Every structure is written in structure tokens, then in C-alpha cells.
Amino acid sequence: EVQMEESGGGWVQPGGALRLSCSTSGFAFRDTDMVWVRQAPGADLAWVAAIRGGDLGATGGGQAYAWFAKGRFTISRDNDKNTLYLQLTDLKSTDTAVYYCAKNWTRSRGVWSGPTPPGQGTQVIVSS
């Protein structure tokens, strides 16, 4: 059974930082392309960042970011721990959302989409 458990969210003031983690099991994490997505209040799921599986992702390559994440968020992975990370910096109120990790998301004509993430997500609240 595929399992993904997100953690690391919380309340932070604008300009602050958080590190999100996603612990996974039940599939070949090492070889799997992974993404972070988020859902703001009243909005649909939005793709945040992606990282390739295999050697490319493990060595810091194969990353892609949504326009709002570039320069502020960093996706990474530890294949030995089957864990995905998202470092969030310079947080803004518009980053308030539930963050999920997921697999099997793909990009078509510049738009990312995929199945509903299996985990519960981790809440990030950015507010003064």
C-alpha cells in the first residue's frame, strides 16, 4: 500500500521559513518522480515543485518549480530514507495552504496535473 505522510508545517510570520518532510512507503521511491502540491483555502490543488527520481534527482538535478516558488522554495530528496523535502523561505501570506507530496503527476502543455495525494498534508499558515 502506498503511503505518504507529510510533516513540518505550522504557523510562521511573513519572511519566515519552514522545512516540510514527506515520509513514504509502499513503492520504489528511489526511482519515482515526486512533486509537492498545495491547496489554499477555497482553491484547487496547485503544483509547487517536482524532482526526478533516480540518480538525477538524488544528486540535486531534475528539479522544476512553479513561478511563485522559484528562488524561495527548494525541493530535495533522501532516497536512503524514502523521504521528500521542501524547504520554504521568505514565506508570504499567499503561501498559506495545505501542502502535500504526490507521485504520478505530469506536465502537459505547461500544466501539471495528477491524482489526489494520498496523505493528509501539512498545514502552513503565514500570518503576522
Side-chain angles (χ1 to χ4, degrees):
E1 178 186 4
V2 172
Q3 293 188 333
M4 300 183 195
E5 183 175 359
E6 302 88 350
S7 62
W11 173 81
V12 63
Q13 292 185 335
L18 288 171
R19 189 193 194 202
L20 308 184
S21 299
C22 170
S23 177
T24 74
S25 63
F27 65 101
F29 177 81
R30 181 178 300 273
D31 299 322
T32 301
D33 299 345
M34 297 293 296
V35 300
W36 283 96
V37 299
R38 71 185 187 183
Q39 187 166 28
D44 294 331
L45 280 172
W47 171 73
V48 176
I51 187 168
R52 296 295 299 274
D55 292 339
L56 185 60
T59 56
Q63 300 170 14
Y65 296 92
W67 65 270
F68 56 80
K70 285 181 180 177
R72 299 190 301 126
F73 298 175
T74 304
I75 189 171
S76 62
R77 64 193 299 156
D78 185 333
N79 288 339
D80 292 333
K81 296 181 179 179
N82 291 336
T83 301
L84 183 72
Y85 301 100
L86 186 68
Q87 178 70 48
L88 310 174
T89 64
D90 190 24
L91 282 161
K92 308 177 188 302
S93 59
T94 50
D95 296 317
T96 295
V98 179
Y99 286 72
Y100 303 87
C101 57
K103 65 184 185 78
N104 295 333
W105 274 57
T106 57
R107 183 176 60 183
S108 176
R109 299 178 183 178
V111 177
W112 285 83
S113 62
T116 300
Q120 296 299 309
T122 186
Q123 174 81 58
V124 172
I125 299 173
V126 184
S127 173
S128 56

